[in-house]
C-alpha cells in the first residue's frame, strides 16, 4: 500500500480507537499491528505526537493495578470534530471509488 495513503488511514484508525476509550500507547499499537503488520512501531508514536501537537488528542499519566506509570491518550473535543470530518471524507471516498468500480 502507498505509504502516504496508509498513514492517512492509520491516523483515522488511531483516532477512532482513542475516541472509543482512553488508551495506553502500547495497547493501541498492539491492536492496530494486527492489521498493519508492516508498519514500524515508531510510525504510531509519530502520528500520536502529531495528533497531540494539533490538539486532537491529549495525554496523561496513569497506573493500572499498581504497575508502572504509563502514558494514556484520550481524544479532545477538537479531535472529535476532526474525526467526524475524516469519517465523512472516508465515506465520500468510498462512495466515489464504488461508483467508479474500484470498491
Amino acid at each position: 500500500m502507498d505509504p502516504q495513503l496508509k498513514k492517512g488511514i492509520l491516523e483515522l484508525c488511531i483516532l477512532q480507537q482513542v475516541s472509543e476509550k482512553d488508551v495506553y500507547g502500547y495497547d493501541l499499537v498492539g491492536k492496530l499491528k494486527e492489521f498493519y503488520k508492516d508498519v514500524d512501531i515508531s510510525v504510531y508514536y509519530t502520528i500520536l505526537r502529531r495528533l497531540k501537537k494539533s490538539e486532537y488528542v491529549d495525554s496523561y499519566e496513569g497506573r493500572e493495578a499498581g504497575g508502572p506509570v504509563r502514558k494514556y491518550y484520550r481524544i479532545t473535543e477538537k479531535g472529535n470534530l476532526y474525526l467526524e470530518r475524516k469519517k465523512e471524507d472516508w465515506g465520500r471516498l468510498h462512495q466515489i471509488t464504488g461508483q467508479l468500480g474500484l470498491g
Side-chain angles (χ1 to χ4, degrees):
M1 183 185 301
D2 175 74
Q4 290 303 319
L5 180 61
K6 188 185 303 181
K7 283 183 185 177
I9 294 169
L10 186 55
E11 177 182 270
L12 178 62
C13 293
I14 288 171
L15 273 174
Q16 178 62 39
Q17 294 300 304
V18 175
S19 76
E20 293 173 6
K21 68 175 188 170
D22 294 5
V23 64
Y24 171 52
Y26 185 79
D27 289 341
L28 175 68
V29 171
K31 184 170 186 176
L32 293 176
K33 200 77 170 140
E34 289 179 45
F35 305 100
Y36 297 96
K37 293 177 180 17
D38 61 335
V39 174
D40 189 76
I41 291 172
S42 65
V43 173
Y44 295 93
Y45 289 102
T46 299
I47 293 171
L48 282 166
R49 280 192 301 276
R50 188 173 62 243
L51 291 170
K52 185 173 180 185
K53 184 176 180 183
S54 299
E55 299 178 346
Y56 298 141
V57 300
D58 191 11
S59 65
Y60 63 93
E61 292 183 347
R63 290 183 191 264
E64 215 172 272
V69 174
R70 296 176 171 182
K71 185 184 279 190
Y72 288 85
Y73 295 90
R74 62 181 159 218
I75 196 162
T76 63
E77 186 60 37
K78 184 177 178 180
N80 275 314
L81 295 172
Y82 180 70
L83 175 59
E84 288 307 311
R85 284 194 314 269
K86 288 295 185 182
K87 287 163 82 171
E88 289 171 8
D89 291 346
W90 176 258
R92 282 194 302 272
L93 180 61
H94 188 263
Q95 181 182 23
I96 290 167
T97 55
Q99 289 175 350
L100 294 171
L102 297 171

